[in-house]
Amino acid sequence: MTNNKDLHVANQDIETFREQGFIQFKNFFSSAEMDELRTAIDAAIASNRERIVGAQGGGRLSDDYEKVFNQMVNLWVDSPGAKAYSFSKRLAETGRQLAGSRHVRIYHDHAMIKPAGQDSRATNWHQDAPYWPMDPIGAFSAWIAVDDVTIANGCLHFVPGSHKFGLLEPIQLTDADDSIVDKMRKSGHPVAAPVPMEMEAGGVTFHHGCNFHYAGPNQTDLPRRAHAVIYIPADTAFTGGKDAAGASDEMTIGGPWAHQLHPILAGEE
Ligand SMILES: O=C(O)CCC(=O)C(=O)O
């Protein structure tokens, strides 16, 4: 992990993130670093790692969900190799400055491996924030391309400015016909043209939790490996209910996210 006292995100990048709700940094990590992260993810796959450790049935949802991706949540807890990247100070500090927050906590990390071939399914157009028990909205993700990502193998696509629609309804990722973009267009809202985020391994995109995003099915012969970290800005309350990271029973509704599963990764208390 690097010391980042001197890291300054350019004002132009902060402005882009604020206006578009996403930003891309190509070559954020080196290819040697991505070799390390890929090794950690492959080891977790090889061990049949549960989606959510400790959850009933491993927290696996359905065969349809597995066609969207094999998702492994809180990998940092049991994979030191993944933790080195989930807890990257440079990544967290970049996110903190983009969000303009006093600090950021980790909500959870998750490896998302989109399977190859005919069974592969798209990650439908959705927002993330409807699944997160937080108020106010403002949490965001850093999505690391562990493999080269292209339209063909399921790179992310974002709709510029769509975070400004605010918090909408959750989309069923297992229902191929459910799409927040279609819903908004049908109800007459001007949804901008999406932008694909192709990049080589080591590239990173950050996206606001209300940004509309999508990834197509993986039409190649190789799995698409990605690793994302979700950050909670300061002054965000836990609103109760389901918390995929597993700390909900030990937190107070309306209280802060101060819990050992959600440490501050950048900035001051
Ligand atoms: O990797 C994907 O296919 C989707 C990722 C996603 O939805 C996210 O990171 O919020």
Side-chain angles (χ1 to χ4, degrees), residues 69 110 112 114 123 126 128 141 143 156 207 213 215 224 228:
F69 39 53
H110 50 160
M112 288 169 282
K114 197 173 266 300
T123 315
H126 69 283
D128 296 328
S141 294
W143 191 98
L156 284 185
H207 64 272
H213 57 288
R224 183 227 64 186

Side-chain angles (χ1 to χ4, degrees), residues 7-255:
L7 174 73
H8 289 293
V9 177
N11 286 342
Q12 177 69 55
D13 291 340
I14 294 171
E15 185 63 14
T16 297
F17 184 67
R18 192 171 297 150
E19 284 305 307
Q20 308 292 320
F22 69 91
I23 189 165
Q24 181 178 45
F25 294 106
K26 292 190 170 166
N27 306 309
F28 191 95
F29 293 111
S30 69
S31 61
E33 288 175 310
M34 288 304 93
D35 288 346
E36 280 180 7
L37 180 53
R38 202 176 299 119
T39 301
I41 290 174
D42 284 350
I45 298 169
S47 71
N48 285 324
R49 203 266 195 189
E50 295 170 344
R51 186 174 86 97
I52 301 174
V53 172
Q56 208 177 17
R60 296 264 156 223
L61 293 173
S62 67
D63 288 349
D64 280 346
Y65 196 81
E66 299 281 314
K67 290 174 188 168
V68 176
F69 39 53
N70 168 7
Q71 183 187 35
M72 295 182 286
V73 174
N74 274 2
L75 204 48
W76 69 268
V77 171
D78 53 331
S79 168
K83 183 177 179 184
Y85 294 92
S86 299
F87 277 46
S88 159
K89 296 262 182 244
R90 193 162 71 91
L91 191 67
E93 178 61 17
T94 301
R96 186 191 75 76
Q97 292 186 29
L98 287 172
S101 179
R102 191 169 78 252
H103 65 237
V104 289
R105 296 180 179 279
I106 185 169
Y107 176 34
H108 62 75
D109 65 9
H110 50 160
M112 288 169 282
I113 299 99
K114 197 173 266 300
Q118 299 214 323
D119 277 350
S120 185
R121 296 258 301 250
T123 315
N124 300 0
W125 283 108
H126 69 283
Q127 298 179 308
D128 296 328
Y131 309 100
W132 298 342
M134 298 175 199
D135 185 63
I137 53 174
F140 61 98
S141 294
W143 191 98
I144 306 170
V146 181
D147 291 308
D148 295 350
V149 291
T150 61
I151 291 173
N153 76 353
C155 70
L156 284 185
H157 297 58
F158 296 116
V159 173
S162 52
H163 61 306
K164 293 184 180 172
F165 287 116
L167 187 66
L168 303 169
E169 60 188 283
I171 291 300
Q172 294 302 324
L173 285 181
T174 47
D175 175 354
D177 295 328
D178 210 3
S179 156
I180 195 67
V181 165
D182 288 352
K183 281 187 170 147
M184 291 299 278
R185 284 194 174 140
K186 274 183 193 143
S187 57
H189 291 90
V191 177
V195 185
M197 293 287 116
E198 294 192 315
M199 55 190 169
E200 291 175 2
V204 170
T205 53
F206 286 85
H207 64 272
H208 185 280
C210 289
N211 191 275
F212 299 175
H213 57 288
Y214 161 93
N218 179 0
Q219 298 162 315
T220 69
D221 299 334
L222 297 169
R224 183 227 64 186
R225 288 161 290 199
H227 188 73
V229 186
I230 304 166
Y231 299 103
I232 309 172
D235 305 320
T236 301
F238 170 60
T239 55
K242 194 165 149 269
D243 161 23
S248 48
D249 291 348
E250 295 163 14
M251 294 192 298
T252 310
I253 295 176

